[in-house]
Amino acid sequence: MDMVNSKLVPVLFGFLVLTGKALAVSVANISDFEANNKDGWVHPVPNPNQTAIQMDGPFNHILSVTSSGGSGAGSRLVVPNITGPWTGDYTAAGITAVQMDLVNNSRINLSMRVGIEGGTSGNRWASTVPVALTPGDRGTFTFNLDNASLGAAGGNNLATALADVTQIRILHNPSSGSYLGAAVAGSFTVDNIRLLTATAIPEPSSSLMLLLGSAILFKRKRQ
């Protein structure tokens, strides 16, 4: 029996080379609403009708967010979270992005963004490029949390905000640079909100690479 499979070794060798600069993505926290609670996703101005748990099919729970437009409680299409699992030092935790499943249940186009506040009051940042959803659109979307993806919305130091996040929010606003949800009559549902971490996969050791390379050459000489 051959010690090395001639088809398997090149595949393993190529995999190790390709993953030398790859990133391993994992979920640091998730709100999937399966416990039938809002998991801290509630509007800052109390309005019992603005956020609600709904069923999406016979088994899946989702969060519905609505707004009435105008002014006052419930007028803006936004939902924040200030609870422990969603706040704190994102930098130390390696959190690089927020991912979620979104559905536009409105009669209007939505421009969905993520906003954060941290460090000091008013140090606010929001997605510079929104996810554009026409009525009925749905999908899974990732919002990166970095200098290229977040713009100041009253903020002065993104690094400070990410090192001490006191609030994260999901909002609709066509205007870039706004941390507030737009005052519109609209609705969206959200599910599986995830905080993502990205860790570099270490490059394979030189001894392992040498061993695999030698095995390939050995196999070729025997052919």
Side-chain angles (χ1 to χ4, degrees):
M1 180 182 293
D2 291 338
M3 294 298 293
V4 180
N5 186 302
S6 61
K7 294 182 179 179
L8 180 59
V9 171
V11 172
L12 290 175
F13 185 79
F15 174 77
L16 289 172
V17 171
L18 289 174
T19 56
K21 296 182 180 180
L23 294 177
V25 178
S26 58
V27 178
N29 191 42
I30 184 170
S31 287
D32 59 14
F33 309 106
E34 295 309 317
N36 199 25
N37 66 59
K38 299 176 183 179
D39 202 21
W41 294 95
V42 294
H43 195 259
V45 180
N47 183 320
N49 298 319
Q50 184 149 24
T51 54
I53 301 294
Q54 294 183 352
M55 294 300 295
D56 181 26
F59 305 110
N60 187 41
H61 293 79
I62 59 176
L63 183 72
S64 173
V65 183
T66 62
S67 59
S68 59
S71 60
S75 60
R76 297 181 179 274
L77 194 53
V78 57
V79 59
N81 199 319
I82 60 173
T83 62
W86 290 92
T87 56
D89 192 341
Y90 279 25
T91 303
I95 294 167
T96 59
V98 185
Q99 188 179 75
M100 66 193 74
D101 304 332
L102 288 169
V103 181
N104 179 1
N105 295 318
S106 309
R107 296 181 179 179
I108 61 172
N109 295 336
L110 296 182
S111 299
M112 302 302 299
R113 307 175 192 264
V114 164
I116 63 166
E117 181 176 24
T120 58
S121 178
N123 189 17
R124 297 172 171 176
W125 300 78
S127 305
T128 53
V129 179
V131 167
L133 297 177
T134 59
D137 272 358
R138 64 175 60 223
T140 300
F141 305 97
T142 302
F143 299 83
N144 292 322
L145 304 176
D146 54 31
N147 280 299
S149 306
L150 296 176
N156 51 28
N157 193 316
L158 178 58
T160 299
L162 290 173
D164 182 24
V165 175
T166 55
Q167 180 180 149
I168 181 171
R169 54 174 50 196
I170 303 165
L171 61 110
H172 152 69
N173 200 315
S175 301
S176 179
S178 178
Y179 180 78
L180 302 176
V184 296
S187 174
F188 67 86
T189 60
V190 61
D191 195 13
N192 299 315
I193 310 169
R194 313 166 187 89
L195 288 178
L196 303 182
T197 64
T199 305
I201 300 174
E203 293 187 5
S205 65
S206 57
S207 58
L208 178 59
M209 298 293 287
L210 180 61
L211 177 62
L212 286 171
S214 299
I216 295 171
L217 292 175
F218 175 74
K219 179 61 180 180
R220 286 178 177 174
K221 288 181 178 179
R222 294 190 58 189
Q223 291 177 340

